[in-house]
Amino acid sequence: MAAELTAQQLTAQHRPTLDRALEAIRTRAYWSPHPEHPKAYGENGSLDLAAGKAAFDALLGTRLDLGQPGTDDWVGGETSPYGVELGVSYPHADLDALLPAMRAGMRAWRDAGAETRAVVCLEILKRIGDRTLEFAHAVMHTSGQAFMMAFQAGGPHAQDRGLEAVAYAYAEQTRTPDTAEWTKPQGKRDPLALTKRFTPVPRGIGLVVGCNTFPTWNGYPGLFASLATGNAVLVKPHPRAVLPLALTVQVARQVLTEAGFDPNLVALAAERPDEGIAKTLATRPEVRIIDYTGSTEFGDWLEANARQAQVYTEKAGVNTVIVESAGDYRGMLANLAFSLSLYSGQMCTTPQNLLIPRDGITTDQGPKSFDEVVADLAQAVDGLLGDDTRAVGLLGALVNPGVKDRLEAAAGLGEVALASRRIAHPEFPDAVVRTPLIVKLDGAKPDAEAAYMSECFGPVSFAVAVDSASDAAELLRRTVRERGAMTVGAYTTSPEFEEEVREVCLEEAAQLSLNLTGGVYVNQTAAFSDFHGSGGNPAANAALTDAAFVANRFRVIEVRQEA
Amino acid sequence: MAAELTAQQLTAQHRPTLDRALEAIRTRAYWSPHPEHPKAYGENGSLDLAAGKAAFDALLGTRLDLGQPGTDDWVGGETSPYGVELGVSYPHADLDALLPAMRAGMRAWRDAGAETRAVVCLEILKRIGDRTLEFAHAVMHTSGQAFMMAFQAGGPHAQDRGLEAVAYAYAEQTRTPDTAEWTKPQGKRDPLALTKRFTPVPRGIGLVVGCNTFPTWNGYPGLFASLATGNAVLVKPHPRAVLPLALTVQVARQVLTEAGFDPNLVALAAERPDEGIAKTLATRPEVRIIDYTGSTEFGDWLEANARQAQVYTEKAGVNTVIVESAGDYRGMLANLAFSLSLYSGQMCTTPQNLLIPRDGITTDQGPKSFDEVVADLAQAVDGLLGDDTRAVGLLGALVNPGVKDRLEAAAGLGEVALASRRIAHPEFPDAVVRTPLIVKLDGAKPDAEAAYMSECFGPVSFAVAVDSASDAAELLRRTVRERGAMTVGAYTTSPEFEEEVREVCLEEAAQLSLNLTGGVYVNQTAAFSDFHGSGGNPAANAALTDAAFVANRFRVIEVRQEA
């Protein structure tokens, strides 16, 4: 079969982007090839936006036939957190037919080499990028993110993370040369001379287990890291967030076909309600790599039981912000209010525990008592979310009923400093939209510990009164060590305390944001520059993305013979 | 405390070597800074050799006091495979005292940075290198290797592998810059600007579980990889091979002290007879990395149970050589005879199964029947080992009684093509010296499979008659997949068959040597160029040394704040 896209064409088109990405991960300066404004996606402004919406609408109620072998049924039935029935059905796979079919194309994919694999991956990302406005709706109506966030985080930012993984994968595979001439002197005798060939070989099938809240952002790193290192990739989406990853698989299969490779190198594993196929898939001998985002319980199960595979997990954690003192009190409040509100706190990076000395703090606005800080933060959140239209644009919808139940229960855990407010969505009456709840807890009271030492995923945060700044640092240490953390924030004007918190983060392996008061938030990381998680505390066993995330997805095989 | 060795001095001295090592792992051309001839270790030839022996002799019967905290007893009692009682005693540790003490110096070691850690490690290697002739005796009298091999494999080659690990560790830690300025344009508004600091942080204590046969060669990669990435390292030697690693720990502690670091960053965990402390150590929460060489049974146990740690294992495997045809029949026989004889086949890389078509092979010496090939190989071994003095110089001694028992039992597994011969050691009458046994098996007979599909560690190989070359390739595939392999060899003049074997090795992740007839042997790998194992088949979950071996021994922690 003559490929419609030759490796040469793809290399000419994408190699400059790959080189730029390689430079970015080395310098970690700002860079992205994926624009963050909807208007960049087309020439026609609102017409393009409408076209993206129309493309999404056209998917509703359809069967997404990916042409996968071993399809024995059609499954689906996602309901948007905004109340829309998606009605899309997806192939259900007979694994004994699909998995062997996925392996069939691996040899050619391996022999294509690291550069061709990278540029094919970049073409997949480009095609996804071209449909960003359509993907935005698919992410919005599965995750409950507001449109603008679904567009940014589910579109360009997810594509950034995918490209970053491709760049790391390429860099890693090319650290060993394809060939080497090895000549060892032997004194007066002839030297020993060998010719050596080195080939990166894949491990097998990579399984990506997607999550409900960030199907593309959290799915792309593992998907592209495994694919770029020569593996086939089976994508098992969260049953409530299938569409964005199914579209991704569809694009990947199309590009692979056009480039002359077997489309079955990427496939979808959708499941029937309550089928729970992740456990079955995760322990199949063909599956040699697993990328998972979700609960600690299942992440731990994977690490313990999927022993035939390399397992990369992002699990639950308890994120802390320490407020020791503030050089820009209003900036701090505004920044924190935004962090707590964005996507109703349903990010693995959203702060949960705000540790504040019970005797109050010093600020550029004068001393503030514990109660004042909490009240001012509550007011800042209120102000940010005072206008309902603006509020729904920030909050989005609660992703599932569990979050709502947890939010309602959390109000009973202590004194409510800021009550959660129901907002009617102007467009989607069935959407469950809630503003953040802030509950005061006393860190010295043992009965409060059960609350603040557990992850309460959703728009819930705890303002925890601590005896001193050093107590805060020690509680931070214990929280990260025992519960894990994806992010840590701290506000302080004291160089000594800054050093103390920094040391805790270095020792407990947590990523630290200091004194953020402007337009960067503790819960946001930028690909090519920020690491997402550290891989060194219980919240995640891997970081997005570093060399350790890619280096064990392939092995280098050497064939040597006398020269 | 003023350091006697400043980082500046060490950098000036060792940075050129580090740079050269970094270049070598990139090009994989031949390089080593550690000479392979005893005469390079001093100006005085046999006087230096005598001094090395004298230094070793002076250790016998002594207490090796390493000055470790928490020493609650003295243990030891190694007997050389050559019959010499070493009588050296070592500190036995109270772990609840030693492990906290090991953690105390980690902050300063972390803050020293990757380059200083690397050059301190290089100084340790240099000091070890200066005592190579002494270490040679320590390795000889614990492993049973002959002196020349103990000198080379236990000295320069082990030091090479240590340096290689340091180079990989340095490269990996410096791929992310120390700092970055991140400036993101915001259209007409001011850009977002962050300053970011990135710090490689260690995981904790690395545990090295040493082996009996290659205490330094197999121990140094993990030891130096963990130390160079900022971890403390606890060395738990094999109870029969303590001395070489105890001396290593002694040197490391001395250099750390002189360089102003805490000597407890490196410590020894010697054990009482049958104490079996490896399991206790491996599951201590302080231990976050484990490097292990030894049995599959315990390696699998570590992988399953030491869940708090990164576990790197080299276990058992079944190495295969396929003889399909020979372009240099005599060269092949000589090369194989040496491979089977070296260190009495007690290398994890020694070929065990020689797969030969039952209808014979073509060679440059005319066609050879299966029986002729086996008889000619037996004769080649006999010729190589005909002179007893030369033979003991190649064979060394059997490392422990288990090897002798296995060898004796193996003679009953089939038709003996070459009987194992007892050789009296001219210098050490108690040494158990045996020549290799070659047993013929019929690959088509199911009862033979139990023999050739298990590792029979020691001077035992099986000449397995197979129906065809393709049968050999399939048996190779099954052997690697089910039992693992550290090495594969093949002899063939057929490009098609070469491709068939190569494909099996790429698919099953085994390292392949083709048509070796000269002075390079399938069981030898050269640091900086050859990978030892692949990490992709059941014989080992890691390769020595690649990026995956080092990248997860540390994590990168980012601290970001507004610029």
Side-chain angles (χ1 to χ4, degrees), chain B residues 169-212:
Chain B
Y170 175 79
E172 213 54 42
Q173 292 171 90
T174 51
R175 290 178 73 185
T176 301
D178 293 341
T179 60
E181 297 298 325
W182 180 90
T183 307
K184 179 175 178 177
Q186 297 291 293
K188 292 172 189 167
R189 286 173 293 150
D190 285 343
L192 300 175
L194 295 180
T195 295
K196 304 180 179 188
R197 289 166 67 189
F198 300 97
T199 307
V201 303
R203 282 196 173 271
I205 294 177
L207 173 68
V208 175
V209 182
C211 68
N212 198 170

Side-chain angles (χ1 to χ4, degrees), chain A residues 8 40 66 85 162 322 391-392 396 399 406 408 421 458:
Chain A
Q8 230 173 346
L66 302 172
E85 297 284 339
I322 299 180
V392 297
V399 64
R406 210 177 296 121
E408 287 167 359
R421 182 166 67 88

Side-chain angles (χ1 to χ4, degrees), chain A residues 182-194:
Chain A
W182 181 88
T183 307
K184 179 175 177 177
Q186 296 291 293
K188 292 172 189 166
R189 287 173 292 151
D190 285 342
L192 300 175
L194 296 179

Side-chain angles (χ1 to χ4, degrees), chain B residues 45-368:
Chain B
S46 59
L47 286 177
D48 296 310
L49 278 168
K53 175 74 165 55
F56 168 74
D57 287 342
L59 292 166
L60 301 181
T62 64
R63 171 178 287 185
L64 204 71
D65 187 348
L66 302 172
Q68 289 183 183
T71 299
D72 60 10
D73 197 0
W74 298 91
V75 294
E78 299 149 284
T79 300
S80 162
Y82 291 97
V84 179
E85 296 284 340
L86 303 195
V88 185
S89 62
Y90 309 96
H92 181 276
D94 169 359
L95 297 178
D96 292 327
L98 180 60
L99 296 182
M102 293 184 69
R103 291 186 58 86
M106 283 178 58
R107 180 175 175 174
W109 187 235
R110 178 197 78 202
D111 288 344
E115 185 182 59
T116 295
R117 284 193 295 272
V119 295
V120 170
C121 286
L122 263 60
E123 178 66 17
I124 295 169
L125 284 165
K126 182 197 167 296
R127 301 279 185 97
I128 291 169
D130 291 345
R131 291 168 64 180
T132 294
L133 295 173
E134 177 187 355
F135 270 78
H137 291 279
V139 171
M140 174 181 173
H141 283 288
T142 48
S143 68
Q145 292 174 22
F147 175 76
M148 195 59 185
M149 178 165 178
F151 161 74
Q152 289 189 337
H157 296 173
Q159 295 153 26
D160 280 349
R161 283 288 177 196
L163 173 55
E164 180 185 57
V166 173
Y168 268 101
Y170 175 79
E172 213 54 42
Q173 292 171 90
T174 51
R175 290 178 73 185
T176 301
D178 293 341
T179 60
E181 297 298 325
W182 180 90
T183 307
K184 179 175 178 177
Q186 297 291 293
K188 292 172 189 167
R189 286 173 293 150
D190 285 343
L192 300 175
L194 295 180
T195 295
K196 304 180 179 188
R197 289 166 67 189
F198 300 97
T199 307
V201 303
R203 282 196 173 271
I205 294 177
L207 173 68
V208 175
V209 182
C211 68
N212 198 170
T213 47
F214 289 91
T216 56
W217 198 97
N218 275 98
Y220 284 3
L223 192 170
F224 284 99
S226 283
L227 190 60
T229 48
N231 302 280
V233 179
L234 182 60
V235 180
K236 205 298 285 176
H238 191 282
R240 301 173 61 99
V242 182
L243 185 56
L245 288 173
L247 294 176
T248 302
V249 168
Q250 190 180 41
V251 172
R253 292 175 63 86
Q254 181 64 34
V255 170
L256 285 163
T257 303
E258 289 179 32
F261 295 101
D262 190 329
N264 298 321
L265 287 166
V266 178
L268 186 77
E271 60 194 314
R272 301 191 186 95
D274 303 319
E275 187 180 355
I277 57 168
K279 282 193 181 186
T280 307
L281 289 170
T283 50
R284 289 282 302 211
E286 300 94 333
V287 169
R288 301 296 305 279
I289 302 169
I290 299 173
D291 287 275
Y292 168 77
T293 312
S295 73
T296 294
E297 188 188 355
F298 192 59
D300 288 347
W301 186 92
L302 287 172
E303 292 173 19
N305 292 283
R307 299 285 314 289
Q308 85 294 353
Q310 306 283 321
V311 180
Y312 304 88
T313 57
E314 183 185 324
K315 301 174 285 191
V318 174
N319 302 319
T320 297
V321 170
I322 298 179
V323 179
E324 187 268 347
S325 53
D328 174 2
Y329 187 61
R330 293 189 196 291
M332 174 186 84
L333 295 173
N335 188 283
L336 280 178
F338 188 93
S339 288
L340 299 183
S341 303
L342 185 64
Y343 187 27
S344 315
Q346 298 171 117
M347 300 173 73
C348 57
T349 51
T350 304
Q352 174 178 303
N353 294 343
L354 313 171
L355 310 187
I356 307 165
R358 68 176 75 252
D359 293 338
I361 64 169
T362 59
T363 80
D364 62 324
Q365 306 291 309
K368 301 286 178 186

